[in-house]
Amino acid sequence: MSRETNQSRSKERTGKRSKGSRESRSGKMTLLEWILKQNNTPGWRTGASSGERHPQITQEAIEAVGKRELLEQAAVLEGSGLIKVDWREMRNDIARIHYRLEDVGRMYELAGIPDPREALARAGSLVRKYRTDLENEDFKPFYDKLLEQIGKGSLPEYVENEDFFRALNAVADNRESLWETQFSARVFGNAKYFGKYLRKPVLRKLCRYGSAVEDGMEEDEVFAEYGIVSYSQQMECKGPLLVDTPDREGKRRLASGESFPLGMVLNARTLAAASPAGLPGVRRIITIENKANYESMEYSGDTLYIYCHGFFSPKERRFLRSAAEIAGAETEFLHWSDMDYGGIRIFRFMKEKVFAQVKPLHMDVESFERCRLAGAGIPLEEEKRKKLLALDVPELEELKACILRYGLEIEQENLLEGRQETHV
């Protein structure tokens, strides 16, 4: 269903509601609207309820409709056979009205209001369609949850925005590396539509259901796991790395990190096409989470420094795993992150998905205590404390105990203060 179809349907519904509202005066609702409001329950919407209803006409109903209008409209509806009325005081007051649930559909039609049961049926059909079309099993529980809500008579979030389902399925099932604008143009015919209207809601579902997503990932890192890349995704490194990359004519060329002692940047396209060709003299590969710490490292002929910014994207992981394969047997792999919940998570991610032999660097009790005694530290939030308690990373258990003991998290930039040397 196109956006134009969604918009047309929305206008159609608005028009029907406007038609119903013309029957009321001074902003008050009609008696039919009042009846339908009382009746619109999950049990009726799902067909679980049947029989008759006998609402009492209270002062609240009189104020909502208007005394004279209520009496006039009750007489008309009774004449049409839709309701029965318990009149009082010579038809100048009403005690109760009676109607059959099987007549409620006619009431909605007469009031010019869409029947909620029709909306539920459309929603169920839509959700089942997109669940069937989806290949990624991670997100089928999301659709199952929507169907459960619909089965209970509730219209869940998103069901009137088919574009959301199109976007979620397209991201979840994507098998290519696509620029976000390219993805949007392919799915919606508009390069900016996804980023403007659908990126945030899709992101929430990726984080909630996606098995590829790690807690603490930035937005771009989450989408990168599904092949949707932004122009900012790149890898920065400093050291004697040889990179084999094709030129515009497809010929292979070697770029050497020795030519860029202040650091070399491989953009997203280069990462996709390039591969590491050599690590001459390298004895240590060190990944560093924060930019200030990475920039402070001076070029060293035996060390490759890599700015990791958080969680490496799939392209970066492929490139770095290839680098590990050509590294010498004596090469040491180290990772330096903040001494906090996020830093411990990133270290675990590095060990599981990039360098299996990686060890922590400056993420120990001595480093923590030195910073703490110097007055550094951010109070540990309760939600992070709970997550940290459940986090199991054997190499960092002593650091975890320090964080929990003092209720402090320490950023790695604090370790630069007072250091004379700018190498590790």
Side-chain angles (χ1 to χ4, degrees):
M1 185 186 298
S2 66
R3 293 192 302 283
E4 290 77 10
T5 304
N6 277 328
Q7 292 166 355
S8 299
R9 178 169 288 175
S10 176
K11 290 178 181 178
E12 178 184 348
R13 291 172 181 166
T14 303
K16 288 183 177 180
R17 286 195 293 270
S18 299
K19 178 181 177 182
S21 66
R22 286 196 294 270
E23 297 180 18
S24 60
R25 302 175 186 176
S26 304
K28 293 183 179 294
M29 65 174 61
T30 65
L31 177 57
L32 260 184
E33 290 170 339
W34 181 84
I35 293 172
L36 294 174
K37 182 179 179 182
Q38 315 308 306
N39 181 75
N40 191 9
T41 62
W44 173 77
R45 291 194 295 269
T46 60
S49 301
S50 60
E52 294 189 353
R53 292 294 181 267
H54 317 280
Q56 182 179 359
I57 300 301
T58 62
Q59 184 61 34
E60 180 182 353
I62 293 172
E63 291 175 358
V65 180
K67 180 66 177 287
R68 182 170 62 84
E69 291 84 356
L70 188 149
L71 296 174
E72 291 175 353
Q73 293 170 27
V76 172
L77 291 174
E78 186 175 46
S80 70
L82 279 177
I83 67 173
K84 293 182 181 179
V85 182
D86 289 346
W87 296 100
R88 298 192 309 184
E89 299 182 9
M90 303 294 292
R91 299 178 70 91
N92 286 317
D93 199 3
I94 299 175
R96 290 182 182 275
I97 59 174
H98 311 272
Y99 63 91
R100 299 178 304 168
L101 289 178
E102 52 263 44
D103 289 333
V104 172
R106 287 178 56 204
M107 292 183 182
Y108 273 104
E109 183 178 358
L110 183 61
I113 300 173
D115 190 328
R117 295 172 300 183
E118 296 176 4
L120 275 178
R122 286 194 302 271
S125 177
L126 186 69
V127 171
R128 282 189 289 272
K129 173 186 180 300
Y130 279 92
R131 188 193 187 285
T132 300
D133 292 345
L134 179 70
E135 296 178 10
N136 192 320
E137 294 290 333
D138 285 355
F139 299 92
K140 291 198 173 180
F142 165 64
Y143 285 108
D144 292 337
K145 183 178 179 181
L146 295 185
L147 289 171
E148 181 181 355
Q149 290 176 270
I150 292 169
K152 293 179 179 179
S154 297
L155 271 179
E157 189 179 13
Y158 305 118
V159 294
E160 294 191 283
N161 182 4
E162 186 173 354
D163 285 348
F164 166 77
F165 296 122
R166 291 176 64 194
L168 178 62
N169 279 21
V171 171
D173 288 341
N174 182 50
R175 298 292 183 269
E176 302 177 63
S177 179
L178 299 172
W179 298 113
E180 183 178 300
T181 50
Q182 178 187 11
F183 167 81
S184 183
R186 176 180 295 184
V187 178
F188 298 105
N190 182 323
K192 297 180 179 178
Y193 184 75
F194 174 79
K196 188 174 182 179
Y197 298 107
L198 297 166
R199 194 179 207 266
K200 291 292 185 183
V202 168
L203 174 70
R204 288 194 290 270
K205 299 309 170 189
L206 295 179
C207 292
R208 170 67 179 83
Y209 294 95
S211 61
V213 178
E214 295 281 343
D215 186 26
M217 279 185 169
E218 299 292 335
E219 288 188 19
D220 285 350
E221 293 169 340
V222 171
F223 282 106
E225 292 297 318
Y226 295 91
I228 310 301
V229 298
S230 67
Y231 298 111
S232 64
Q233 288 168 351
Q234 57 192 22
M235 190 182 81
E236 298 184 41
C237 58
K238 189 184 303 182
L241 168 68
L242 295 178
V243 180
D244 182 4
T245 180
D247 61 17
R248 292 183 178 180
E249 298 176 355
K251 297 177 182 178
R252 309 302 299 187
R253 294 177 179 270
L254 280 181
S256 173
E258 288 184 323
S259 302
F260 304 94
L262 299 181
M264 178 169 61
V265 178
L266 306 179
N267 65 18
R269 289 188 66 189
T270 301
L271 277 173
S275 59
L279 292 164
V282 169
R283 293 295 175 263
R284 294 191 302 176
I285 296 178
I286 301 176
T287 52
I288 303 174
E289 177 187 353
N290 291 343
K291 191 66 175 286
N293 297 63
Y294 165 76
E295 292 288 3
S296 72
M297 298 298 108
E298 295 291 348
Y299 183 93
S300 173
D302 67 356
T303 304
L304 175 63
Y305 298 108
I306 304 166
Y307 172 50
C308 84
H309 60 72
F311 297 89
F312 283 125
S313 69
K315 288 180 181 179
E316 291 171 301
R317 298 200 298 266
R318 178 197 64 80
F319 185 92
L320 293 174
R321 285 195 294 264
S322 295
E325 291 175 0
I326 65 173
E330 303 300 319
T331 302
E332 188 177 17
F333 295 85
L334 301 168
H335 176 74
W336 186 12
S337 263
D338 292 330
M339 290 180 280
D340 62 7
Y341 168 72
I344 296 175
R345 282 297 302 263
I346 293 170
F347 175 83
R348 187 176 73 173
F349 180 88
M350 289 291 301
K351 189 173 183 66
E352 291 178 348
K353 299 192 177 183
V354 187
F355 301 138
Q357 61 272 57
V358 70
K359 297 177 182 178
L361 175 67
H362 301 320
M363 300 175 72
D364 50 40
V365 173
E366 180 184 352
S367 299
F368 185 95
E369 288 290 359
R370 184 164 73 249
C371 293
R372 183 185 70 82
L373 293 173
I378 300 171
L380 178 65
E381 299 173 1
E382 177 60 22
E383 188 62 30
K384 282 189 177 181
R385 188 188 71 81
K386 293 177 182 177
K387 291 181 178 180
L388 188 58
L389 280 169
L391 193 58
D392 182 19
V393 182
E395 296 92 337
L396 294 172
E397 279 301 305
E398 292 184 354
L399 173 62
K400 170 182 167 180
C402 275
I403 296 172
L404 293 170
R405 176 184 176 187
Y406 294 106
L408 289 175
E409 294 184 310
I410 296 176
E411 296 171 320
Q412 67 181 116
E413 289 91 339
N414 288 283
L415 288 169
L416 295 179
E417 296 299 319
R419 291 176 63 96
Q420 299 302 313
E421 71 275 18
T422 54
H423 57 82
V424 175

